[in-house]
Amino acid sequence: MKLWMLLLLLVAYTEAVRILAFFPMEAKSHHHVFRPVMEALGRRGHEVVYYTGYPYEGTVPPGISQVDLSKELPDLHTIFDVIDFISTSVIDDLQKIYGFSLLYSPYILETPTVQKLIHSDEKFDAVVSESYVVQEYVSALIHKFNAVGIEIISLGDFGWVNELAGLPDNPSYQVDYKAELTQNMNFWQRVYNTYVHAVTTIAGYYYMSQMENFVDKYFNYTGHESRPPFMQLLSNRSLILMNYHNVVGYPVPKPPHRKDIGGVTITPRKPLPKNIQTFINDAPNGVIYFSLGSHVEVSHPANKKLVEVFIKVFEEMPHKVLMKWEEATFDGKLPKNIHLEKWYPQQDILGNFV
């Protein structure tokens, strides 16, 4: 009898599940956080169906079935520019980021591929998404498929996620990243941090009514009438994975279903391309690695004056500079101490100096 019980337990333990990984936005840096988790699930025998606006280049890892949405969506950079967030207020930032979501989300939800999914008879055991980052309407997929809800947050610790997780921030010592403060706050900094926390929370709930409108309009699948109230659906998560670690942040109280995965993107260092390694080796005064991330297209004509300033400063420095540049050519005279690439292997470059 005990042997049969053991066999049953082993069968249950090794049972693979089918997972919907719904990450429709193109945001490259976000997908670099999602993919190590999905790839680990695939290696363990689970089936991951990956809806993405940023598809894999080349071979898709084992266990992952990719559904490419990129050809059905407009270029993210034509709608959203991170540079617009320079020197703006907290209220402006929130209006812009939610405004972007309200503008871009219908493009996602109206694609034939996503509508087909919403009205399909597919079966999933879990839905993995980043819905807490201005995509809250995605929560309806959890009800649609009667699945376990799992969040992956690529941005680190911030108050809106903690609000939805059921353990709101205490602004007297927990810092919202938009406040740009440390935990060593004086009285007035605590007042300002409280203001940022309050504005973030109020804006979040204000925009949820518009997110709910998306749910009502686009998620009219069979059985949607039994869907619970939107805020209840939104807070229904079995697991929240945060791209956060106390080593680069602060210890904060966490609900039991939140787990920090900061460092999940770190991989063993690989050899650099020969041209980059040669450029670094021939730099007696050191190297500066310059990148404004995946969202900012440095080479865009609108950034011409900004680029000219950086190029002028870099030219006067004794260091060599690795600079991200999206175009195949550079219009003008490029200083000899600057090397351009469309995309750098950032971890391998930084690991070169460890």
Side-chain angles (χ1 to χ4, degrees), residues 262-332:
V264 70
T265 56
I266 298 174
T267 57
R269 181 164 65 92
K270 300 183 290 295
L272 291 172
K274 187 175 180 180
N275 62 330
I276 297 177
Q277 187 66 66
T278 301
F279 185 82
I280 291 175
N281 291 343
D282 188 26
N285 296 306
V287 174
I288 295 172
Y289 171 63
F290 176 73
S291 172
L292 297 179
S294 58
H295 282 304
V296 178
E297 290 193 1
V298 181
S299 59
H300 193 282
N303 300 326
K304 183 177 180 181
K305 290 186 178 180
L306 182 66
V307 169
E308 288 174 352
V309 172
F310 277 113
I311 293 292
K312 187 175 186 299
V313 172
F314 290 152
E315 185 177 16
E316 296 172 355
M317 300 179 71
H319 312 81
K320 289 200 168 186
V321 180
L322 298 169
M323 179 175 171
K324 175 173 165 283
W325 186 259
E326 298 78 17
E327 298 296 327
T329 59
F330 180 81
D331 185 17

Side-chain angles (χ1 to χ4, degrees), residues 178-339:
K178 294 187 295 300
E180 299 181 352
L181 298 169
T182 71
Q183 278 194 341
N184 300 317
M185 295 179 283
N186 61 34
F187 173 76
W188 293 112
Q189 288 173 327
R190 292 176 195 272
V191 170
Y192 176 68
N193 189 52
T194 302
Y195 160 76
V196 172
H197 171 75
V199 169
T200 299
T201 305
I202 293 169
Y205 282 107
Y206 171 76
Y207 281 104
M208 287 313 98
S209 63
Q210 297 177 66
M211 295 292 175
E212 187 172 11
N213 289 338
F214 286 149
V215 172
D216 294 338
K217 180 177 180 180
Y218 294 106
F219 292 85
N220 54 349
Y221 50 83
T222 302
H224 74 275
E225 301 87 355
S226 64
R227 197 163 50 223
F230 179 64
M231 289 307 302
Q232 179 181 332
L233 182 66
L234 182 57
S235 295
N236 179 21
R237 296 295 183 276
S238 298
L239 182 64
I240 300 174
L241 304 176
M242 297 282 289
N243 184 25
Y244 181 82
H245 197 288
N246 290 340
V247 169
V248 291
Y250 298 104
V252 294
K254 308 179 185 73
H257 63 304
R258 169 185 156 173
K259 305 299 178 183
D260 293 344
I261 59 169
V264 70
T265 56
I266 298 174
T267 57
R269 181 164 65 92
K270 300 183 290 295
L272 291 172
K274 187 175 180 180
N275 62 330
I276 297 177
Q277 187 66 66
T278 301
F279 185 82
I280 291 175
N281 291 343
D282 188 26
N285 296 306
V287 174
I288 295 172
Y289 171 63
F290 176 73
S291 172
L292 297 179
S294 58
H295 282 304
V296 178
E297 290 193 1
V298 181
S299 59
H300 193 282
N303 300 326
K304 183 177 180 181
K305 290 186 178 180
L306 182 66
V307 169
E308 288 174 352
V309 172
F310 277 113
I311 293 292
K312 187 175 186 299
V313 172
F314 290 152
E315 185 177 16
E316 296 172 355
M317 300 179 71
H319 312 81
K320 289 200 168 186
V321 180
L322 298 169
M323 179 175 171
K324 175 173 165 283
W325 186 259
E326 298 78 17
E327 298 296 327
T329 59
F330 180 81
D331 185 17
K333 183 180 179 181
L334 185 68
K336 293 182 179 179
N337 66 326
I338 299 178
H339 179 88

Side-chain angles (χ1 to χ4, degrees), residues 132 136 159-167 205 231 234-235 257:
Y132 284 2
E136 287 85 352
W160 180 236
V161 171
N162 297 330
E163 176 77 18
L164 296 177
L167 190 60
Y205 282 107
M231 289 307 302
L234 182 57
S235 295
H257 63 304

